[in-house]
């Protein structure tokens, strides 16, 4: 593909090995093509986040968290507080779109209830439907307001009902609190449990919106909002 954002994602990444199609014969040839990629196994293969939580003395990461396992995420985050200067907490790599969309991947505070927006359960194969406008020849995953307008009639921007701006505002509020703590505490001493949890959620939602601010809150507004609000409420940079 030569379209925007797709230079490193070619036909086989979504539709399967071309070799199978080339060697098949007769009517079976068409069966070798994955005509409708599945969002979880295709898009989610890359857009799932890569959260390595510990570094050893040689700077190598030695633990990889399954972002779709809520129990594993919480247990891992609670365990990453450094016990020495060689074990450093490290935030997320790449865009964790799939876990956020599914309502997983964040540190979930005890006593809070985490739910997901309609996008998660109400739109089948949502990645394909929304980003590629299934049924068209569109192969550019860049956000397209026309896809939103299929349901949100009258929408004039991605900031539908102010939810986009709300998530960006919560990220800014949490970011200021994290920066205040980081300015007062050296990196090797940043082992406060409340900081570790809040930082994880900050990176989860901020990296999820890396593709552009228009994505903030779009994939799963309810889950992202709850994570950020809980992180803000449970982290005091002056008394972590």
């Amino acid at each position: 593909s030569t379209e925007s954002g797709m230079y490193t994602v070619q036909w086989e990444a979504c539709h399967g090995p071309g070799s199978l199609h080339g060697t098949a014969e007769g009517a079976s040839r068409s069966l070798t093509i994955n005509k409708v990629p599945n969002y979880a196994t295709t898009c989610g293969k890359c857009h799932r986040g890569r959260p390595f939580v510990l570094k050893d003395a040689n700077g190598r990461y030695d633990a990889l968290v399954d972002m779709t396992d809520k129990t594993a995420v919480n247990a891992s985050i609670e365990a990453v507080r450094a016990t020495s200067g060689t074990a450093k907490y490290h935030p997320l790599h790449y865009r964790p779109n799939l876990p956020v969309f599914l309502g997983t991947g964040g540190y979930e505070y005890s006593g809070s209830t985490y739910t997901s927006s309609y996008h998660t359960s109400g739109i089948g194969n949502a990645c394909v439907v929304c980003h590629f406008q299934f049924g068209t020849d569109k192969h550019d995953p860049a956000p397209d307001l026309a896809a939103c307008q299929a349901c949100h009639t009258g929408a004039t921007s991605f900031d539908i009902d102010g939810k986009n701006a709300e998530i960006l505002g919560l990220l800014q509020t949490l970011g200021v609190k994290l920066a205040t703590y980081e300015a007062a505490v050296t990196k090797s001493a940043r082992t406060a449990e409340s900081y570790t949890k809040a930082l994880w959620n900050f990176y989860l939602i901020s990296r999820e919106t890396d593709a552009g601010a228009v994505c903030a809150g779009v994939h799963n507004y309810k889950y992202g909002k709850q994570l950020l609000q809980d992180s803000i409420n449970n982290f005091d940079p002056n008394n972590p």
Side-chain angles (χ1 to χ4, degrees):
S1 174
T2 59
E3 297 181 42
S4 173
M6 297 290 286
Y7 301 114
T8 59
V9 182
Q10 299 304 311
W11 189 92
E12 291 185 329
C14 298
H15 297 289
S19 59
L20 297 179
H21 183 68
T23 56
E25 297 181 359
S28 64
R29 294 193 72 186
S30 64
L31 301 178
T32 64
I33 301 174
N34 181 12
K35 296 180 180 179
V36 185
N38 175 271
Y39 77 96
T41 57
T42 303
C43 308
K45 187 163 54 178
C46 295
H47 294 267
R48 63 186 306 112
R50 296 293 186 272
F52 296 89
V53 294
L54 293 177
K55 276 186 176 181
D56 62 19
N58 297 313
R60 293 189 296 262
Y61 299 107
D62 61 1
L64 176 60
V65 182
D66 179 0
M67 293 287 281
T68 63
D69 185 333
K70 290 176 179 280
T71 301
V73 170
N74 268 32
S76 296
I77 297 170
E78 289 172 346
V80 299
R81 287 183 296 140
T83 55
S84 72
T86 59
K88 298 286 195 299
Y89 174 83
H90 199 277
L92 296 140
H93 287 288
Y94 312 117
R95 298 170 187 163
N97 306 108
L98 178 65
V100 172
F101 172 74
L102 294 176
T104 65
Y107 180 82
E108 300 186 3
Y109 292 84
S110 176
S112 286
T113 300
Y114 295 88
T115 59
S116 291
S117 299
Y118 174 79
H119 289 169
T120 300
S121 59
I123 304 176
N125 213 13
C127 300
V128 177
V129 170
C130 295
H131 283 274
F132 295 96
Q133 296 180 45
F134 181 64
T136 72
D137 290 327
K138 182 177 182 290
H139 274 72
D140 187 343
D144 189 333
L145 188 60
C148 303
Q149 291 169 333
C151 296
H152 300 279
T153 55
T156 57
S157 75
F158 292 102
D159 189 21
I160 298 171
D161 297 329
K163 293 178 179 178
N164 177 269
E166 184 179 9
I167 294 297
L168 290 175
L170 290 171
L171 279 171
Q172 182 177 24
T173 298
L174 181 56
V176 169
K177 298 186 79 169
L178 292 169
T180 299
Y181 174 77
E182 290 166 356
V185 181
T186 59
K187 188 173 183 179
S188 61
R190 295 172 191 165
T191 59
E193 184 176 357
S194 60
Y195 166 74
T196 300
K197 297 172 180 177
L199 184 68
W200 179 280
N201 285 342
F202 176 82
Y203 271 101
L204 179 78
I205 303 302
S206 62
R207 292 310 303 267
E208 200 257 340
T209 65
D210 267 356
V214 296
C215 294
V218 172
H219 294 114
N220 196 339
Y221 163 76
K222 287 184 178 180
Y223 187 67
K225 177 182 177 180
Q226 191 68 55
L227 288 176
L228 292 174
Q229 285 186 327
D230 285 346
S231 299
I232 291 168
N233 294 338
N234 285 278
F235 175 58
D236 179 355
N238 300 309
N239 185 29

